[in-house]
Amino acid sequence: MQRTFSKALLTLAALTGLATTAPAASEKTLYQRLGGKKAITAVVNEFVGRVAADSRINGFFKSTASDPKRLAHFKMNLADQICEASGGPCKYKGKDMKTAHAGMGISDADFNALVEDLVGALDKFNVGAQEKNDLLGALGPMKKDIVEK
């Protein structure tokens, strides 16, 4: 009787959207599967380097890339954003994506180039396909706030 009630409650929660997506105690979070903050920071450093070298989109980051203090702050915010989005303990304290990208005129092609650079950075560190897909899935919804064209 108790098992039937618990099953019914879980089914109802899932149908009404009340079920959480938190991993079971034995499962690792995406943050853990990515290797934690140190690994995320390494990927961010590689990613930012790729973006800086990418003639398709590096113009968007020219002023940030030319100021070492601003670049360090940007990298820290990006690492915190990925850390938080992947279920880690970090808290992103930067601007929301709509505000941060307002007026930049970013197109779908620009966004896709950025994603290619991120995937390249993840590939350099041999991040698994599932982790890559999970991370892109966590970050993907930001596209609507970034792309203007």
Side-chain angles (χ1 to χ4, degrees), residues 47 50 54 56 109 111-121 123:
F47 170 58
R50 286 173 181 260
D54 189 339
R56 299 173 296 174
F111 187 85
N112 292 340
L114 189 79
V115 172
E116 286 176 28
D117 290 340
L118 177 57
V119 169
D123 287 345

Side-chain angles (χ1 to χ4, degrees), residues 58-78:
N58 60 8
F60 292 112
F61 302 97
K62 194 170 273 183
S63 61
T64 298
S66 66
D67 180 346
K69 195 173 191 175
R70 194 169 161 188
L71 182 60
H73 184 71
F74 175 79
K75 287 179 177 181
M76 181 192 71
N77 270 344
L78 186 54

Side-chain angles (χ1 to χ4, degrees), residues 18-90:
L18 297 175
T20 63
T21 56
S26 63
E27 292 179 32
K28 289 184 175 183
T29 64
L30 176 57
Y31 171 78
Q32 292 166 322
R33 291 183 288 131
L34 289 170
K37 184 73 182 264
K38 187 175 179 179
I40 289 170
T41 300
V43 168
V44 165
N45 287 331
E46 175 67 21
F47 170 58
V48 170
R50 286 173 181 260
V51 170
D54 189 339
S55 62
R56 299 173 296 174
I57 56 173
N58 60 8
F60 292 112
F61 302 97
K62 194 170 273 183
S63 61
T64 298
S66 66
D67 180 346
K69 195 173 191 175
R70 194 169 161 188
L71 182 60
H73 184 71
F74 175 79
K75 287 179 177 181
M76 181 192 71
N77 270 344
L78 186 54
D80 284 346
Q81 187 176 39
I82 292 172
C83 172
E84 182 177 353
S86 64
C90 310

